[in-house]
Amino acid sequence: MTSINLILINWNYIVVILLMMAGLYIIISNQNFIKKLVGLSIFQSSVFIFYISLGKVSGGTAPILTGNDETLYSNPLPHVLILTAIVVGVATNALGLALVVRIQEAFHSIEENKLLALKKFSEQEDRQL
Amino acid sequence: MSDLQVILCISLVIPLVSALGVLVFAKYPNIRDICGPIGGIISFIAAVKIASSIIQGDIVSISLWQIAPGISFSFNVTPLGAIFGLVASGLWILASIYTVGYMRGSGEKNQTRFAFYYAVAIHAAMAIAYSGNLLMLFIYYEILTFSTYPLVTHSQTEAAKNAGRLYMGILVSTSLLLFLPAVLWVWTISGTLDFRQGGILPSDFPVIYVPFLLAMFAFGIGKAALMPIHRWLPAAMVAPTPVSALLHAVAVVKAGVFSILTVTVYIFGIDFLNASGGAIWLAWVAAFTILASSIIAISKNDLKARLAYSTISQLSYIVLGASLATAAAVEGAALHIVMHATAKITLFFCAGAIYVNAHVKNISDLDGLGPKLPWVFIAFFLASLSIIGIPPMGGSWSKFLLMAGAVDAAMPAMLLVLAVSSLLNVYYLLEPVLRAFFKSVKKDIHVEKHVLTIIPPVITAAISLVLFFAVDWIMPLTNLMVVQ
Amino acid sequence: MPVFDNIPALLVVLPLIASAIVSLLPSARVAWILTFVVTLLCLFMAFELVDIVSNTSSFSYAFGGWEPPWGIVFVVDGANVYLVLLVAFISVVSTFYAYTILAAEIAVEDLPKAYSVWLLAIASLFGLSMTGDAFNLFVFLEISALSSITLIALGAGQDRRALLAAYNYLIIGAIGATFYVIGVGYLYAATGTLNLTDIVDRLNELGTNQAAITGLAFMLAGIMVKAGVFPVHIWLPAAYSFAPSAVSSLLAAVATKVAIYYFARLLFGIFADITLLVEFFLLYILMPVSIIGIFFGTIAAIYQTDLKRLFALSSIAQIGYITLAFSLNSHSGISAGFIHIINHALIKGSIFMAIGIFAFGIGKRATMTSMQGVGRQMPITFAGFVVAGLALVGMPLTAGFISKLYLFKALFETNNGILVAIIAFSSVLSVLYLWKIFEVMWLKEPTKPLKIEKEPIMAYLPVWMMVAVIVVFGVYSNDIVMSGIGAANALIGAN
């Protein structure tokens, strides 16, 4: 019984860990550049969940002033931080995708193994320069 | 600024002014070529004044700004420094005259660049002589390495570039790997790097570390050509002879042994070394170098190569004196700086004169050349006697003092080493002279006579002779080195 | 003057606003002028800041009047005031340099946008060096990363591999920044505050707290990625070698240094009381990693043929020296680290600038084959390059010698004599690759007749400005030594 209790109490952390590892694994193992960006987004959203779940106060409601002095609010600061982080994540994603478009134009491929082969080829060109 | 400080500045700055003059007057060869001798005369006069002030007990120093806690950018003349300053500036006069004769006689290119870096190198040597602390000495030691590189690779041939690579490689790596860490080690434990009679190491410095620290200095100061850090010297002989003469017989190598001697006398302190016995191993390494390089010298047919190995051997005389760490040995080492410099520069001048005037490099081709270049070979003979250590040449005094020092240090084996070395010197130094005068000419060699290449060696040979009688001019300085 | 009260904010806001304006400008020349004027203003303000901090020892600026620990603060004290000055100086010099060299490598119509992102990068560097709030640092970290990525990708005009380098940096940099955020999350969970000084107080009350320790570990990991510490330096060589030359010199000079400064502040200023962990990390992780990084960087550089990549690897080695100095966990070590931060910024900045001029001269990438004999054709730049190279090795009369002096002093004082030998050996190794370059550029004849553009004065003047500062610091070294000691005092108190 206590082990299920343990899992339920720490459910948010378990989800965070699962998402984080999934995201990292996708980044490392996937060859396609766009899929790597997806993995990065998953990795970053695991952190968002981490923060927000940390900020939850039991019995607390959304941190928006209701005018009632008695209401218990969840901690608003993590929400604010995560809003910032989400925006940063969006910007990173946008930039990454823009880069992928340019890479496709320049190299005609967005698969990592093909690009590594191409890179080695151009390094040999350099040495003969 | 007091008068003495002004004179100190003059002696340091004049070589730089001379270098500038060379650049400015590059298009007027005659004016350009007079910059060196004039600079030499002025700085020699300054060096003499400084030396006489030191003998009277004055302090000659300038401190400019602080580099690090306990270390300032300063100059301070020690008695040993005064000696080296005299040697460097005095012989510069003659070397610059000789250079003119040599370069014009052999039609060398890029004479302006050569003269420029020559003067800068002399400035570095003077700054080493008058450096105020061990870090200043290190700084100018490195500057000397860099300013002599263009001189070594002057002819820009593949051989010269390879020699330059070896030269820089050995000197820079030993100085960065061993010399600098040793300097910093001393700084960390003593809080200062100033030169002091009796040394600056704290009294609780563990005795077992002394050989290590000394080794870092002895092998880190690659310019002293202690084996196995000697390979750069024969390689640098590819340079024109004026370079070999002044720099590798006088300035560069003397800066090396001067540094080792300064470190033993003013950083470790003679008594400390004696008491700890941490320098005995160095005496044996020096002894080995003395004998090994003499033997190698015998096998060399190229005259400059033979003189190069002779230089390595003679430098280790000075290192031997430093490591024996007795008053007589140290004084003998300091005196040998003077004696060897004058004698060796003569020998190199002669080698260069033979090359320029008769186009002969090898000893086996010297047969019968004596009557054609009599003054050159007489000078060679006298200088050889000085190196062998026979009166009435100056070198006999330094050899005598070194032997006395060996006895004082209770290392009679060194007497044997010095004696055997003298015998070897006899063989490899007199062979050229004997060939020149007593063998008959093998093939007819056309000889031109460039006077400016013949007069300097005669003068320096005469100086070697005069020094025998005038050694009392220098002894006050060496005495000051060992007085408590 | 009221303006002077707001300098920390202005240093960030001014370039930010200018960045927006510059992106809209049609003319590249006007864009450059505006950029240059803004950087000059920032330099002037940075000098004022140095003045203020030398009088009051610490300048805390609360944004919007919200007092800490609820508001975000910028804190400038002895540890980072000279860093701010360094960033300002390097940005002025790089912008001046960019006038010719950046224009040569990027299409004219893209230049206003390039300068806009350039200003963004500078604004983020100022923010990184001054902020006193943990999460605010993440924001500036990301701004810096995104602008750097864009700037690096601009090198695609010359070599398309810049795009791959930028993408790599994006992925690795984002992972690092996210690790940092995880760390901040743990720290917030443990202490309930994001303000760095407040965190110190709260940690004091908590004692040894597992969450705080985990937080520290993640934060350090994230910062190490940005700082280019071995082994999370992987993005660095490609990024520096394919970026446009002006960008390489700006980034190589200051981007990693700001991260290292924050690294030091975390270790010695914030988490100093978790002594056991900090000592363990410094002695058993940072010190070995630094030494390996030093040798890896130096040895890999010896085998490189591409000059920019060579010096990027050399940067990794130099960052290793700085982290080694920090890992000694002593006052002298921290001083030595900060001294080298400033010196290395100047040295690497000038080296990359010089390489940019050489590449501009021959119109191709600078490699061992293409650079043969180029030194003789571009002697002024080459002379500056040689002096900077001598400083890199640590020759006397250059700032690099002062760094080495104090590093060795710190090593001796902490009884690490063996390390002195190891570090001296690595100096000798670095002489090897510098010697190779010297030989190729000066002693060799070009393989085919060279068509060389004349060295643009607006390009070699910045190189010589930095080289002059290097030599001045090498000779009159008191100021730079005092700055290092001041930084150590600000972090751990006087010795």
Side-chain angles (χ1 to χ4, degrees):
Chain A
M1 274 307 156
T2 44
S3 53
I4 297 185
N5 229 357
L6 215 59
I7 293 177
L8 285 176
I9 290 179
N10 296 313
W11 180 239
N12 57 333
Y13 300 120
I14 295 176
V15 167
V16 166
I17 294 173
L18 285 174
L19 279 177
M20 199 186 290
M21 292 304 117
L24 277 175
Y25 177 73
I26 297 173
I27 297 176
I28 297 174
S29 70
N30 227 297
Q31 299 289 328
N32 185 302
F33 275 12
I34 295 183
K35 291 185 186 169
K36 283 179 194 282
L37 285 172
V38 170
L40 187 64
S41 300
I42 296 176
F43 175 56
Q44 285 176 329
S45 49
S46 76
V47 179
F48 304 159
I49 296 178
F50 176 57
Y51 266 68
I52 297 177
S53 63
L54 276 180
K56 168 77 177 165
V57 172
S58 15
T61 176
I64 301 172
L65 287 175
T66 58
N68 190 351
D69 276 343
E70 306 288 322
T71 4
L72 187 63
Y73 300 107
S74 288
N75 193 339
L77 189 60
H79 294 238
V80 166
L81 299 178
I82 291 313
L83 281 171
T84 316
I86 290 176
V87 171
V88 169
V90 167
T92 311
N93 236 344
L95 185 59
L97 289 170
L99 275 175
V100 169
V101 170
R102 291 278 277 117
I103 290 176
Q104 165 67 14
E105 280 172 19
F107 290 93
H108 305 294
S109 161
I110 53 172
E111 299 289 326
E112 191 178 14
N113 39 9
K114 290 216 188 67
L115 285 168
L116 277 176
L118 278 175
K119 221 165 66 119
K120 281 205 180 58
F121 176 63
S122 54
E123 262 167 26
Q124 278 175 345
E125 268 174 29
D126 271 351
R127 252 178 236 132
Q128 286 151 12
L129 249 185
Chain B
M1 267 217 304
S2 71
D3 287 340
L4 281 176
Q5 289 180 319
V6 171
I7 295 180
L8 181 59
C9 283
I10 290 180
S11 70
L12 289 167
V13 167
I14 279 293
L16 285 177
V17 171
S18 168
L20 207 60
V22 163
L23 280 184
V24 164
F25 294 115
K27 299 259 184 350
Y28 308 99
N30 287 331
I31 308 182
R32 175 197 69 196
D33 289 337
I34 210 85
C35 287
I38 290 185
I41 293 175
I42 300 177
S43 50
F44 182 65
I45 296 175
V48 168
K49 185 77 186 73
I50 291 174
S52 56
S53 307
I54 295 288
I55 294 179
Q56 284 165 9
D58 294 332
I59 298 188
V60 185
S61 80
I62 276 188
S63 184
L64 292 172
W65 58 76
Q66 199 192 42
I67 302 179
I71 312 177
S72 48
F73 194 96
S74 63
F75 296 99
N76 179 24
V77 185
T78 59
L80 185 59
I83 295 177
F84 185 35
L86 283 171
V87 169
S89 55
L91 293 177
W92 182 28
I93 308 173
L94 295 161
S96 43
I97 298 175
Y98 178 83
T99 304
V100 174
Y102 184 93
M103 300 297 254
R104 292 189 183 191
S106 54
E108 288 274 351
K109 301 194 283 279
N110 291 315
Q111 290 187 28
T112 304
R113 181 182 79 193
F114 188 86
F116 173 75
Y117 282 111
Y118 211 73
V120 173
I122 295 290
H123 163 72
M126 297 300 286
I128 291 178
Y130 296 148
S131 55
N133 54 60
L134 197 50
L135 191 64
M136 287 295 292
L137 194 143
F138 176 79
I139 291 175
Y140 273 102
Y141 180 93
E142 295 296 287
I143 294 179
L144 185 61
T145 309
F146 281 96
S147 57
T148 48
Y149 172 75
L151 297 171
V152 170
T153 58
H154 177 83
S155 54
Q156 299 284 321
T157 58
E158 271 313 300
K161 288 186 201 171
N162 282 332
R165 219 174 279 150
L166 194 63
Y167 182 73
M168 291 295 274
I170 294 184
L171 290 180
V172 171
S173 48
T174 49
S175 63
L176 283 182
L177 204 50
L178 297 168
F179 190 11
L180 181 62
V183 169
L184 296 176
W185 188 356
V186 172
W187 180 40
T188 319
I189 54 172
S190 313
T192 176
L193 285 174
D194 294 336
F195 298 130
R196 208 176 300 152
Q197 194 86 345
I200 57 172
L201 292 179
S203 42
D204 57 352
F205 186 65
V207 167
I208 45 163
Y209 283 157
V210 172
F212 284 115
L213 187 57
L214 191 60
M216 285 170 79
F217 279 115
F219 293 115
I221 302 179
K223 293 198 173 87
L226 200 60
M227 280 185 171
I229 318 288
H230 67 287
R231 271 298 289 141
W232 63 270
L233 217 162
M237 288 302 139
V238 74
T241 307
V243 178
S244 310
L246 185 69
L247 296 180
H248 299 119
V250 178
V252 170
V253 296
K254 287 298 178 291
V257 287
F258 167 79
S259 306
I260 293 188
L261 202 50
T262 302
V263 162
T264 47
V265 175
Y266 295 114
I267 300 288
F268 281 95
I270 310 175
D271 295 326
F272 180 79
L273 274 180
N274 243 331
S276 65
I280 297 185
W281 67 272
L282 185 59
W284 287 106
V285 173
F288 174 76
T289 307
I290 293 175
L291 293 175
S293 51
S294 296
I295 295 173
I296 300 179
I298 294 178
S299 71
K300 293 289 174 189
N301 194 17
D302 180 294
L303 184 55
K304 278 177 76 172
R306 181 172 288 195
L307 294 177
Y309 278 97
S310 167
T311 304
I312 298 175
S313 174
Q314 295 293 311
L315 290 175
S316 284
Y317 273 49
I318 301 173
V319 176
L320 179 64
S323 60
L324 289 172
T326 58
V330 166
E331 291 196 56
L335 202 57
H336 202 56
I337 290 182
V338 182
M339 303 303 178
H340 175 247
T342 41
K344 221 10 135 359
I345 204 175
T346 313
L347 292 175
F348 274 107
F349 280 165
C350 295
I354 296 171
Y355 178 68
V356 161
N357 295 321
H359 303 287
V360 168
K361 273 191 189 178
N362 289 329
I363 297 175
S364 49
D365 296 333
L366 287 177
D367 295 0
L369 207 47
K372 296 214 178 100
L373 288 170
W375 286 108
V376 171
F377 282 99
I378 291 176
F380 195 99
F381 176 64
L382 290 177
S384 306
L385 289 183
S386 183
I387 291 195
I388 296 168
I390 298 180
M393 300 304 292
S396 55
W397 281 117
S398 51
K399 197 155 250 173
F400 170 70
L401 278 173
L402 282 170
M403 288 189 171
V407 170
D408 286 344
M411 293 192 78
M414 295 305 156
L415 286 176
L416 193 60
V417 168
L418 289 171
V420 170
S421 164
S422 298
L423 284 176
L424 293 170
N425 288 347
V426 167
Y427 181 80
Y428 67 69
L429 282 178
L430 291 185
E431 183 192 352
V433 180
L434 293 174
R435 275 183 183 263
F437 284 118
F438 296 112
K439 287 224 167 162
S440 49
V441 176
K442 266 195 274 203
K443 51 181 178 181
D444 204 27
I445 302 180
H446 169 68
V447 171
E448 317 154 4
K449 288 215 188 144
H450 297 276
V451 167
L452 285 182
T453 60
I454 300 185
I455 296 184
V458 172
I459 297 181
T460 50
I463 295 178
S464 287
L465 181 59
V466 166
L467 278 174
F468 175 78
F469 303 99
V471 72
D472 282 332
W473 293 347
I474 310 179
M475 287 310 283
L477 284 169
T478 59
N479 284 336
L480 279 173
M481 277 171 63
V482 296
V483 81
Q484 291 310 326
Chain C
M1 271 191 71
V3 174
F4 290 168
D5 291 333
N6 294 309
I7 286 184
L10 282 173
L11 280 172
V12 176
V13 166
L14 203 59
L16 219 49
I17 298 179
S19 160
I21 300 176
V22 164
S23 68
L24 298 170
L25 291 174
S27 149
R29 177 160 301 189
V30 177
W32 179 82
I33 293 178
L34 184 56
T35 311
F36 188 59
V37 165
V38 165
T39 48
L40 275 178
L41 284 173
C42 288
L43 182 62
F44 171 66
M45 287 193 285
F47 274 116
E48 265 308 312
L49 198 59
V50 171
D51 210 30
I52 296 175
V53 171
S54 60
N55 288 335
T56 59
S57 96
S58 162
F59 184 19
S60 174
Y61 179 83
F63 271 91
W66 297 101
E67 287 305 312
W70 299 278
I72 293 180
V73 277
F74 273 8
V75 176
V76 187
D77 61 9
N80 55 357
V81 67
Y82 290 104
L83 190 65
V84 172
L85 184 59
L86 180 73
V87 172
F89 177 69
I90 301 268
S91 56
V92 167
V93 176
S94 302
T95 311
F96 191 71
Y97 171 80
Y99 181 70
T100 34
I101 302 293
L102 195 66
E105 297 186 9
I106 297 183
V108 161
E109 57 270 10
D110 290 335
L111 273 175
K113 287 173 251 173
Y115 284 124
S116 161
V117 184
W118 180 270
L119 282 166
L120 265 180
I122 292 177
S124 67
L125 287 170
F126 278 125
L128 272 174
S129 48
M130 289 188 287
T131 185
D133 181 290
F135 196 82
N136 191 237
L137 187 109
F138 164 69
V139 174
F140 279 116
L141 206 61
E142 285 289 19
I143 302 178
S144 163
L146 293 176
S147 50
S148 304
I149 291 166
T150 316
L151 286 171
I152 292 170
L154 284 171
Q158 301 282 91
D159 191 317
R160 59 187 184 164
R161 286 172 287 175
L163 296 169
L164 293 177
Y167 183 84
N168 229 347
Y169 182 22
L170 185 139
I171 298 281
I172 298 177
I175 295 178
T178 314
F179 270 17
Y180 176 77
V181 168
I182 298 175
V184 171
Y186 274 110
L187 206 56
Y188 180 67
T191 58
T193 176
L194 293 169
N195 182 293
L196 292 180
T197 26
D198 207 34
I199 288 178
V200 179
D201 296 329
R202 302 274 181 105
L203 281 179
N204 261 335
E205 293 164 13
L206 283 174
T208 315
N209 182 297
Q210 200 61 32
I213 293 177
T214 319
L216 170 66
F218 272 107
M219 286 167 85
L220 286 176
I223 296 293
M224 279 165 76
V225 173
K226 175 78 177 165
V229 180
F230 184 91
V232 284
H233 66 281
I234 313 173
W235 58 270
L236 207 153
Y240 285 3
S241 70
F242 296 117
S245 307
V247 170
S248 296
S249 71
L250 178 70
L251 292 182
V254 281
T256 44
K257 308 299 176 302
V258 172
I260 294 180
Y261 143 73
Y262 189 68
F263 186 71
R265 193 179 273 282
L266 275 180
L267 280 171
F268 301 114
I270 316 292
F271 291 98
D273 293 320
I274 313 186
T275 36
L276 219 56
L277 173 70
V278 167
E279 278 169 15
F280 175 82
F281 172 70
L282 288 176
L283 187 58
Y284 292 107
I285 300 183
L286 193 60
M287 194 182 280
V289 153
S290 306
I291 297 174
I292 299 176
I294 292 173
F295 280 99
F296 164 76
T298 315
I299 295 176
I302 295 177
Y303 288 103
Q304 279 303 313
T305 49
D306 182 279
L307 281 185
K308 277 171 96 167
R309 200 182 171 87
L310 190 152
F311 283 108
L313 288 163
S314 158
S315 284
I316 295 172
Q318 295 291 317
I319 291 169
Y321 285 128
I322 300 174
T323 47
L324 179 67
F326 288 149
S327 72
L328 296 174
N329 202 9
S330 71
H331 192 270
S332 51
I334 301 176
S335 317
F338 273 94
I339 293 175
H340 200 47
I341 284 180
I342 299 183
N343 288 337
H344 180 240
L346 292 167
I347 295 171
K348 260 312 151 41
S350 45
I351 286 183
F352 274 104
M353 281 188 193
I355 296 179
I357 300 179
F358 296 142
F360 168 78
I362 60 168
K364 285 194 290 222
R365 282 191 75 79
T367 65
M368 291 295 189
T369 31
S370 68
M371 283 285 115
Q372 280 186 1
V374 173
R376 289 186 187 273
Q377 306 293 329
M378 309 183 96
I380 309 179
T381 316
F382 186 68
F385 178 75
V386 165
V387 177
L390 288 174
L392 191 63
V393 170
M395 278 296 144
L397 296 187
T398 63
F401 178 66
I402 304 295
S403 300
K404 205 138 266 168
L405 199 67
Y406 279 88
L407 179 61
F408 281 178
K409 175 169 179 275
L411 284 171
F412 271 126
E413 280 178 7
T414 49
N415 295 319
N416 283 305
I418 313 273
L419 281 181
V420 171
I422 296 181
I423 300 305
F425 180 57
S426 71
S427 296
V428 175
L429 285 180
S430 59
V431 172
L432 275 178
Y433 59 73
L434 283 166
W435 186 256
K436 248 188 8 171
I437 298 176
F438 170 73
E439 275 208 359
V440 163
M441 292 191 71
W442 188 261
L443 294 178
K444 286 224 171 106
E445 294 302 319
T447 42
K448 18 186 212 269
L450 289 172
K451 298 184 309 264
I452 297 240
E453 302 267 348
K454 213 169 111 50
E455 326 177 57
I457 182 168
M458 295 230 0
Y460 66 69
L461 210 54
V463 175
W464 271 102
M465 273 194 258
M466 305 245 270
V467 167
V469 175
I470 292 174
V471 171
V472 165
F473 279 165
V475 175
Y476 295 101
S477 53
N478 206 36
D479 288 327
I480 191 154
V481 170
M482 282 298 126
S483 78
I485 295 181
N489 285 343
L491 285 180
I492 64 172
N495 200 6

